[in-house]
Amino acid sequence: MTLVDSEAYRQAISNDRLRSRPEKTWDTLSWTWNACHRNVEGWPAIRIERVSRRKIYVMPWSAFPVSFKQDVDRFLDRLAGADLSDDGPIRPARPATLQMRQYQLRLAASVLVDRGHDAQSIRAIADLLSIERYQEILRFFLDRRGGQTSPQIGHLAAALKDIARHWVKVDAPTLERFKRIASRLAVPRRGMTAKNRDRLRPFDNPDTIATSLALPQRLRREVDTARRNPPPGHAGTNGRCNCAVTSCTYSAEKSYRHRRQQKSYRSRQQTLPRGPRGRGEEPRAD
């Protein structure tokens, strides 16, 4: 395998249309190859250059006035409970939530710059969250999705609305407008996404489950067999693979059992009589 071979394959799938989406096929192949180049011992010392087609619009903090970053830090200190303010949250936010809020504010500011606003005009969080700029930020993401909302857009709308309420402290009529917009963009959560359901659908097949659960033992036997005359790095690599696959199969088995339990629970609830508070109430013993 050489770079000439990889380029010939890319040209073949692009020119001869051997794949319905040759660009995606090539991007996936090159990413996987480079990951193996980094992580797999003995992999050919060839790295395929990838050309990113993503438009990067999220700007670094250095592109904005220092006062904006300082205001964001004060807001995060309030969320974390570090400033001991009387109107702060009852429970400190988790580190992951703080990191997400910081990114969302930088993202919102970057969107405004992408839409033509001067980065130096964003000196505080309040400069982001007038109702007009709030709408402009969300319209940017809606336009990218053909006018359709998504869980990510709904979460961003709700987060910025809460920041406008608790930090910027917009007046009551303006807050009501924030709430109406966020409510229109919210996506009700109805269990797993279609993508995750598709990923787990193969485990509805008992043969697939049996094969997955038996895979760690099969790899273990191969490692034990290869110990007698192992190629360099073979036993160690298979051992690490065995540990990883064991963890994955444990998670798959746990997910499968959880789904079976949920299905059994829903079936049982459908057979219970409807009580004063709705279906699914067990008869009470007086």
Side-chain angles (χ1 to χ4, degrees):
M1 172 67 182
T2 65
L3 289 177
V4 176
D5 297 327
S6 67
E7 180 62 21
Y9 177 75
R10 187 182 71 82
Q11 292 292 340
I13 62 175
S14 299
N15 298 335
D16 301 337
R17 310 305 296 180
L18 298 178
R19 297 289 188 275
S20 59
R21 301 175 63 186
E23 296 82 7
K24 182 175 179 59
T25 299
W26 172 252
D27 187 68
T28 302
L29 184 145
S30 58
W31 186 92
T32 304
W33 177 276
N34 290 337
C36 293
H37 169 69
R38 292 190 303 268
N39 302 318
V40 178
E41 184 179 355
W43 195 265
I46 298 172
R47 184 178 181 277
I48 301 176
E49 292 296 330
R50 299 176 66 229
V51 178
S52 176
R53 293 180 175 85
R54 296 177 58 190
K55 180 183 177 183
I56 305 300
Y57 57 87
V58 182
M59 304 175 64
W61 287 112
S62 58
F64 302 100
V66 176
S67 59
F68 176 51
K69 181 61 165 60
Q70 292 173 342
D71 195 33
V72 171
D73 290 340
R74 287 192 294 270
F75 165 70
L76 296 177
D77 286 343
R78 178 182 180 278
L79 276 187
D83 64 353
L84 302 179
S85 56
D86 294 336
D87 60 346
I90 298 177
R91 292 184 296 273
R94 297 178 300 171
T97 301
L98 299 176
Q99 184 177 2
M100 175 58 70
R101 293 293 177 267
Q102 183 187 64
Y103 174 76
Q104 288 172 329
L105 289 168
R106 183 162 64 97
L107 174 65
S110 300
V111 166
L112 290 177
V113 174
D114 187 81
R115 303 276 285 192
H117 295 271
D118 182 8
Q120 297 303 311
S121 68
I122 305 174
R123 298 176 297 274
I125 295 177
D127 295 327
L128 292 177
L129 295 179
S130 65
I131 189 66
E132 294 79 11
R133 290 193 170 187
Y134 178 68
Q135 292 172 318
E136 191 171 2
I137 292 167
L138 297 176
R139 175 56 57 188
F140 172 86
F141 294 102
L142 289 173
D143 290 344
R144 288 165 58 93
R145 291 183 52 85
Q148 299 295 319
T149 188
S150 69
Q152 291 77 15
I153 296 174
H155 293 161
L156 178 64
L160 295 180
K161 178 259 298 179
D162 290 341
I163 295 172
R165 176 185 180 183
H166 296 291
W167 183 255
V168 181
K169 299 186 185 301
V170 297
D171 56 64
T174 303
L175 179 60
E176 285 302 314
R177 296 181 65 185
F178 273 90
K179 288 181 177 179
R180 285 196 296 270
I181 294 172
S183 177
R184 288 170 54 191
L185 297 179
V187 177
R189 185 170 182 177
R190 298 172 181 172
M192 291 189 297
T193 64
K195 181 178 180 180
N196 287 337
R197 286 196 297 271
D198 290 340
R199 293 280 179 89
L200 291 175
R201 189 165 289 118
F203 289 97
D204 289 335
N205 187 340
D207 293 337
T208 301
I209 297 173
T211 302
S212 300
L213 295 179
L215 182 58
Q217 288 78 13
R218 182 172 65 82
L219 290 178
R220 182 72 263 172
R221 288 194 298 269
E222 292 180 2
V223 171
D224 293 338
T225 302
R227 282 178 177 174
R228 299 177 181 178
N229 188 22
H234 176 76
T237 301
N238 273 6
R240 290 191 294 270
C241 290
N242 184 34
C243 294
V245 172
T246 301
S247 177
C248 292
T249 52
Y250 171 77
S251 300
E253 182 181 9
K254 184 177 179 181
S255 174
Y256 172 73
R257 289 177 178 174
H258 176 72
R259 295 175 68 194
R260 291 291 299 271
Q261 290 171 356
Q262 290 294 317
K263 186 180 295 185
S264 174
Y265 173 78
R266 287 193 297 267
S267 299
R268 187 172 62 87
Q269 289 294 94
Q270 293 296 326
T271 63
L272 292 176
R274 183 181 295 275
R277 293 178 295 174
R279 183 181 296 278
E281 293 187 356
E282 298 279 4
R284 295 183 178 180
D286 296 331

